[in-house]
Amino acid sequence: MPVVALVLAGVLAVVTGVQAYQIHRLDDRLAAADRRTAEGQGADARRLDGLEQRAGSLEKQAGAAFNPEAVASAVLPSVFRVRAGQFTGTAFAVGKAPAGGGTTLLTNFHVVESVFAAGERKVFLERTDQRFEATIVDTDKDKDLARLRTTATFGGLVAARTPVKSGQQIVVVGAPLGLQDSVTTGVVSAFRKDEDGSGPVIQFDAPINPGNSGGPVINGSKEVVGIATAKARDAEGIGLAVPIKTACDRFKLC
């Protein structure tokens, strides 16, 4: 019996040792598997972060891309054909609603000059089949600017805070020859400094015609950079606009 007991004890010791060794090997394998899983998860997380960064970069690039259709869709509801006596031009809502409600609009002085010179102050804003009465509340003949106000409420366009640069792409919205909601595109040709006392002007190459006067010149961020005022005579691709800052400073707007 003692011999049998010793044999059984030896067998049990061997079995226990083998099991302990197998358990140790299994623990090592599990630990290695955990490390590989963690490394794989870390690699996946890094790849996901990289994809998110690339997606964000692509979104920024897409947002920065010049999209005339998107610009036009955003600004058209704020642009109107203005009828001043027998003269037709363009006006656009700008800034926040004035005290007392209503909407402030900008246009060129020469658009409303005949009415203003006659001592009248009433003009009309037209959009599709709607017509709204507006009042001339302030003018600056030298800078060819006029500020209008209507009791109707429209969303105002935002004035650009940074000056335009040559080559910057722009959209011009207006009513050339009375044709409402006309959109043309081009680039800023140059920024001309004040040379004759009337103030600086923006030169651009987007096509404009009589009736565009007073319409907004818009950048790719849907901000107003200028007010279209004239087309050079006997020339193509030379349009001029009053910088929006000139109007904002003159009328304390924006």
Side-chain angles (χ1 to χ4, degrees):
M1 290 299 293
V3 173
V4 173
L6 288 173
V7 171
L8 289 175
V11 171
L12 288 174
V14 171
V15 171
T16 301
V18 170
Q19 289 179 335
Y21 175 74
Q22 290 178 336
I23 291 172
H24 178 72
R25 291 288 304 275
L26 182 60
D27 287 342
D28 288 344
R29 291 176 181 175
L30 289 174
D34 288 341
R35 286 195 299 272
R36 288 194 296 271
T37 300
E39 290 172 356
Q41 290 175 341
D44 289 341
R46 288 191 294 273
R47 283 195 292 270
L48 182 59
D49 289 341
L51 289 173
E52 289 178 346
Q53 290 176 1
R54 290 175 61 187
S57 177
L58 290 173
E59 287 178 357
K60 289 180 180 180
Q61 291 177 14
F66 183 63
N67 188 339
E69 182 180 0
V71 173
S73 297
V75 305
L76 278 172
S78 301
V79 183
F80 303 86
R81 179 173 62 195
V82 57
R83 192 174 296 279
Q86 299 300 313
F87 199 89
T88 299
T90 304
F92 62 93
V94 64
K96 299 179 180 179
T103 304
T104 295
L105 303 101
L106 292 175
T107 187
N108 288 142
F109 174 75
H110 74 259
V111 171
V112 299
E113 184 174 8
S114 62
V115 171
F116 190 81
E120 301 178 9
R121 296 294 181 268
K122 184 186 297 184
V123 296
F124 294 94
L125 308 172
E126 298 175 339
R127 179 164 184 78
T128 59
D129 58 348
Q130 296 180 302
R131 199 178 204 215
F132 308 92
E133 185 176 307
T135 303
I136 305 169
V137 294
D138 203 353
T139 63
D140 189 322
K141 183 176 181 179
D142 292 336
K143 292 179 172 53
D144 197 16
L145 295 170
R147 178 163 61 103
L148 312 179
R149 181 172 177 177
T150 179
T151 56
T153 302
F154 305 104
L157 301 182
V158 177
R161 295 184 178 277
T162 56
V164 295
K165 297 180 180 179
S166 297
Q168 183 177 358
Q169 293 177 295
I170 48 94
V171 170
V172 180
V173 183
L177 306 180
L179 300 172
Q180 298 181 56
D181 296 347
S182 293
V183 177
T184 57
T185 63
V187 299
V188 173
S189 303
F191 184 82
R192 306 293 180 188
K193 296 182 179 180
D194 187 358
E195 297 177 354
D196 57 4
S198 61
V201 295
I202 300 169
Q203 178 188 335
F204 59 90
D205 71 349
I208 61 171
N209 289 282
N212 273 114
S213 295
V217 180
I218 312 289
N219 63 19
S221 300
K222 305 169 187 174
E223 301 168 330
V224 183
V225 298
I227 305 168
T229 185
K231 172 187 176 182
R233 295 181 180 179
D234 303 322
E236 295 298 330
I238 301 180
L240 303 175
V242 179
I244 189 63
K245 185 178 186 304
T246 301
C248 290
D249 292 347
R250 172 61 181 81
F251 297 129
K252 294 181 174 56
L253 300 172
C254 318

